[in-house]
Amino acid sequence: MAMLPLSVIRPFAIVLALLPAAACQSENTSVGALRLAASPDVPSSQRTDADGYPLLGAYPGRAAEQLTDAEVQAEQARLAATAGQHASAAAQPSGFDGKIQRAQSVRQQQAAEMQAVLATEPTPRDAAGKRPARTGPTPEEVLRQIEAGQ
């Protein structure tokens, strides 16, 4: 049996090693969008070098700018409106919950129909407790008719 050269095996090994890591990178875009929209970017007072990396040991010279009361109230109102939208959407029966409600209503309807059928009077019986005689042909007569080809 011939062995594959390392130049062929190496790329496959790299792809197989990175495949599970790539699968972990997926995220529900709606959740990601909510996280990004949750709060605005706040400038940092951390000093950085020319490449944008923080200078280790260089403590900030002043505190970061704080949000004003109006900005805080506007953000709280926006978050409360978003929470209200999510609560109203969750209250509406859709998807699985809607199917459950429909199944329960069908079950209740069928139970009501069954109660109505059970509440009706049973067929009358004679004094001996037997049902009245049939008016149609007996099963033997039907079998004879089928065998005769009628």
Side-chain angles (χ1 to χ4, degrees):
M1 178 190 282
M3 293 190 65
L4 294 174
L6 284 177
S7 61
V8 174
I9 294 175
R10 227 179 251 145
F12 286 118
I14 292 172
V15 168
L16 289 175
L18 295 178
L19 190 61
C24 295
Q25 297 300 320
S26 65
E27 182 179 353
N28 187 348
T29 56
S30 62
V31 173
L34 285 175
R35 286 182 184 159
L36 289 175
S39 61
D41 291 334
V42 178
S44 172
S45 61
Q46 173 72 46
R47 289 184 285 179
T48 57
D49 64 5
D51 295 325
Y53 292 102
L55 295 173
L56 299 177
Y59 296 106
R62 60 183 174 84
E65 291 185 28
Q66 302 296 309
L67 297 174
T68 64
D69 289 340
E71 291 172 329
V72 170
Q73 289 175 354
E75 184 66 17
Q76 287 176 342
R78 186 185 69 79
L79 291 174
T82 303
Q85 289 173 355
H86 288 293
S88 66
Q92 295 176 356
S94 63
F96 183 73
D97 293 333
K99 290 179 182 179
I100 294 293
Q101 287 181 354
R102 285 190 294 277
Q104 288 175 343
S105 67
V106 167
R107 178 177 169 241
Q108 290 172 353
Q109 179 185 1
Q110 289 176 346
E113 290 172 359
M114 189 55 106
Q115 290 296 328
V117 168
L118 292 175
T120 60
E121 289 292 322
T123 57
R125 297 179 183 261
D126 62 5
K130 295 183 180 179
R131 289 191 175 161
R134 264 186 258 222
T135 57
T138 64
E140 291 83 16
E141 292 172 350
V142 172
L143 181 60
R144 281 190 219 114
Q145 289 175 359
I146 292 173
E147 288 173 347
Q150 293 179 348

